Amino acid sequence: MSPSVLLLISTLGPALAWRPLEDLGSGNVTSSAEGQECVCSVFLPDSSFPADRVQNMQQVSSDLKLEVEVQKNKLVHYKAKLDAFIDELQDLSIRVAIVKSNRADYIKLDFELLKVELGQFEALVSQLKESLNSSSPMLDSLYDEIHNMTLTVNQLESFDKSNLEVLHIEFGKLQKKLKDCQKDVGFVKPDIGNCNHTGIMHVSKPMVVQLNAHLDPNYQYGGWGKDSKPVRGQESMYWYGGYKTPAVYEFYIYSNSQKLILRSSFTHHGLPQGYEGIGNNYIIHGNTIYYQAANPFRMTKLNLTSSAYSHRRLAKAMESVSCVHSPNQYLDFSADEKGLWVMYTTEESKGKIVIAKINEKSFDIEDEWSTRAFKRQVGNAFMACGVMYATRPADLTAEEIFYSYDTKTGEEKHLSIPLQKFQENFVNMHYNPTDQKLYMYNNGYYVSYNLQFNRK
């Protein structure tokens, strides 16, 4: 109904003179016979404010803003990987030049290393296309170049000199294309070591390096990774420990990723009698191995420089509740930007995970936080920027990061971040703050993941 205004004028005495009101836009004027009153009906045009349309536009604007943030975070994530692969391509070009000058020193395993690294390049471009939900001539061409380079490396195992020259040229082209891709997309490097974000928002597809150093799938228990706080000069160091049972009795140290793939260990550390471990969640932090010892049950550390052992009994920790995939795993060590941690259950927590901060100097517990994550339902747990993340099995091929606990604020969150597995079972997964990656020992295979954080 159109709005109307009814004007009612009443007189107080006969002396009042009356005149009709002017017509206001649209309406009519009526006066009484005696001149006692005058009624004017005025019809105003429809001027209602379109609030529903404004609200809809506000919602569309908000959705677009969120989508822009998501795409921006994707670009940040892939810029880091492109930078890393460009550096590796430079190293590959140098190695190819060495091969060209001295073919006799180039062994077959070096070709295997080239194929592994090219496979990583191929996976990177595939993830980039999938994440950006688009295809372009530049990305398609880059993918084809990498695929063709892999075929060339396979042919090079005949040690033909002409093929080596082709390889050198093709690597130069591939390196240039990666740089062009980096420039055109406009990535920004992630801030390694900075926790100015609101948590993990995405986990990349698994990057499979190779089968364990024993080249035996029966070595289902173990772990691998990098030092989370490397000493100077050992920033490229990798470690590995693999076993046929949950027993822990030796570790292998490699000076860099190439030595890891070629299975050429730098040092070997066998644990002496009385210092053997059990379970699978061990790490190297500050050139020191942290692991769970048995008989008696305690946390132990081995300094790789001095070969000195230290122990600490945890009176509250229970030796009865383990994770889904790994038997006898009662102490879960983790290291992040905030320091060194261990996770376990207690009688008071009734099977729920307790987070404890370790003082690296005294090897004692500084503080504890109780969570509501039941360890028997957890596939694995790790710390990143002072936040514990717990996974659980989703199906045979995937885990799900389903829970987080922030030790700074006490805030708990229920998440649903998929994490694809290479094989069904895994026994060791931990975060490394030096490259913001997850390292997983997945049914005997070395597997890693890139993490994407939701920047503020």
Side-chain angles (χ1 to χ4, degrees):
M1 179 181 294
S2 299
S4 64
V5 179
L6 179 61
L7 303 177
L8 178 60
I9 305 175
S10 301
T11 182
L12 297 177
L16 185 60
W18 293 99
R19 288 185 296 180
L21 296 176
E22 298 287 340
D23 182 21
L24 299 179
S26 174
N28 57 75
V29 179
T30 305
S31 61
S32 66
E34 292 85 1
Q36 294 292 319
E37 64 180 16
C38 179
V39 177
C40 180
S41 298
V42 181
F43 299 96
L44 299 177
D46 185 3
S47 59
S48 58
F49 187 74
D52 56 339
R53 286 184 288 171
V54 171
Q55 184 178 10
N56 180 63
M57 290 302 297
Q58 289 176 334
Q59 183 61 45
V60 171
S61 176
S62 178
D63 293 343
L64 288 174
K65 182 179 179 181
L66 290 175
E67 180 64 22
V68 168
E69 288 298 321
V70 169
Q71 295 302 325
K72 179 180 177 182
N73 287 328
K74 287 181 180 179
L75 296 180
V76 170
H77 170 62
Y78 282 101
K79 170 59 168 61
K81 292 200 289 187
L82 280 175
D83 283 342
F85 282 121
I86 287 172
D87 292 338
E88 292 184 20
L89 276 173
Q90 292 174 341
D91 293 338
L92 287 173
S93 298
I94 295 173
R95 294 195 340 242
V96 169
I98 294 174
V99 172
K100 186 177 179 181
S101 62
N102 191 0
R103 292 184 288 127
D105 293 338
Y106 208 65
I107 62 175
K108 179 178 176 61
L109 285 177
D110 286 316
F111 284 99
E112 295 299 323
L113 178 62
L114 289 174
K115 287 188 283 187
V116 168
E117 292 175 334
L118 283 169
Q120 294 175 352
F121 299 157
E122 186 172 339
L124 168 66
V125 177
S126 297
Q127 292 174 24
L128 182 60
K129 292 169 63 176
E130 178 183 342
S131 178
L132 297 178
N133 194 25
S134 65
S135 181
S136 68
M138 179 181 65
L139 289 176
D140 293 339
S141 174
L142 182 57
Y143 185 88
D144 292 339
E145 289 287 342
I146 294 172
H147 181 69
N148 292 335
M149 181 66 68
T150 303
L151 297 178
T152 301
V153 171
N154 291 334
Q155 295 172 355
L156 273 174
E157 291 185 275
S158 63
F159 298 97
D160 183 82
K161 183 176 180 180
S162 62
N163 281 339
L164 289 173
E165 294 174 349
V166 171
L167 178 64
H168 181 71
I169 295 172
E170 293 300 323
F171 261 110
K173 292 180 180 178
L174 183 58
Q175 181 177 347
K176 183 178 184 302
K177 285 181 176 290
L178 279 171
K179 287 184 177 180
D180 291 342
C181 181
Q182 172 188 2
K183 180 179 179 181
D184 292 342
V185 178
F187 287 126
V188 178
K189 285 186 177 182
D191 196 357
I192 299 293
N194 192 328
C195 292
N196 188 28
H197 55 73
T198 59
I200 297 173
M201 66 177 294
H202 177 71
V203 180
S204 74
K205 290 184 178 180
M207 187 171 293
V208 182
V209 178
Q210 69 170 43
L211 188 60
N212 59 61
H214 293 89
L215 297 181
D216 189 342
N218 292 319
Y219 282 76
Q220 298 183 10
Y221 301 95
W224 80 293
K226 298 184 67 176
D227 192 327
S228 53
K229 192 177 75 172
V231 299
R232 181 173 296 180
Q234 297 187 21
E235 293 83 0
S236 300
M237 184 190 80
Y238 282 80
W239 58 269
Y240 159 71
Y243 323 96
K244 295 183 178 180
T245 70
V248 179
Y249 49 84
E250 64 181 357
F251 294 93
Y252 295 88
I253 308 300
Y254 304 89
S255 57
N256 53 49
S257 59
Q258 180 177 351
K259 297 293 185 181
L260 174 75
I261 294 175
L262 298 179
R263 303 185 299 281
S264 177
S265 63
F266 175 64
T267 56
H268 171 263
H269 294 271
L271 303 181
Q273 186 176 3
Y275 294 94
E276 300 94 339
I278 195 168
N280 292 281
N281 200 285
Y282 32 78
I283 61 171
I284 292 185
H285 181 73
N287 205 40
T288 301
I289 301 174
Y290 292 86
Y291 66 98
Q292 170 189 305
N295 301 321
F297 171 61
R298 64 202 186 278
M299 61 180 188
T300 303
K301 67 176 182 177
L302 164 63
N303 186 290
L304 297 178
T305 302
S306 64
S307 297
Y309 289 84
S310 298
H311 308 275
R312 180 69 62 182
R313 295 287 299 272
L314 297 176
K316 294 182 179 181
M318 294 174 60
E319 193 180 359
S320 60
V321 182
S322 189
C323 292
V324 173
H325 302 296
S326 180
N328 308 112
Q329 186 173 314
Y330 311 122
L331 301 178
D332 299 324
F333 292 95
S334 187
D336 65 0
E337 294 83 356
K338 304 297 182 181
L340 184 64
W341 310 80
V342 64
M343 291 163 280
Y344 47 81
T345 62
T346 65
E347 291 286 350
E348 293 82 0
S349 72
K350 301 184 184 301
K352 298 175 183 177
I353 295 177
V354 173
I355 307 168
K357 184 74 183 329
I358 298 176
N359 185 304
E360 297 179 39
K361 291 184 178 180
S362 65
F363 200 32
D364 206 351
I365 301 301
E366 292 181 353
D367 205 349
E368 287 184 338
W369 296 263
S370 297
T371 75
R372 290 191 290 181
F374 285 97
K375 188 170 183 179
R376 292 190 189 278
Q377 300 175 346
V378 170
N380 214 303
F382 61 91
M383 301 294 297
C385 283
V387 177
M388 186 198 81
Y389 294 90
T391 74
R392 64 185 176 191
D395 54 44
L396 297 180
T397 62
E399 290 278 308
E400 176 189 47
I401 299 178
F402 76 99
Y403 176 87
S404 69
Y405 182 92
D406 192 331
T407 58
K408 182 178 180 180
T409 64
E411 180 183 9
E412 296 176 289
K413 292 182 181 179
H414 293 280
L415 310 171
S416 182
I417 303 174
L419 187 151
Q420 182 181 339
K421 293 181 290 189
F422 176 65
Q423 300 280 340
E424 179 180 355
N425 296 320
F426 68 95
V427 294
N428 185 313
M429 183 175 69
H430 60 276
Y431 169 75
N432 194 301
T434 66
D435 53 15
Q436 292 185 343
K437 286 186 177 182
L438 285 179
Y439 289 87
M440 174 191 286
Y441 190 71
N442 195 181
N443 247 22
Y445 284 86
Y446 303 148
V447 180
S448 65
Y449 303 84
N450 291 298
L451 296 182
Q452 184 177 356
F453 293 93
N454 190 12
R455 302 293 174 184
K456 292 181 180 179

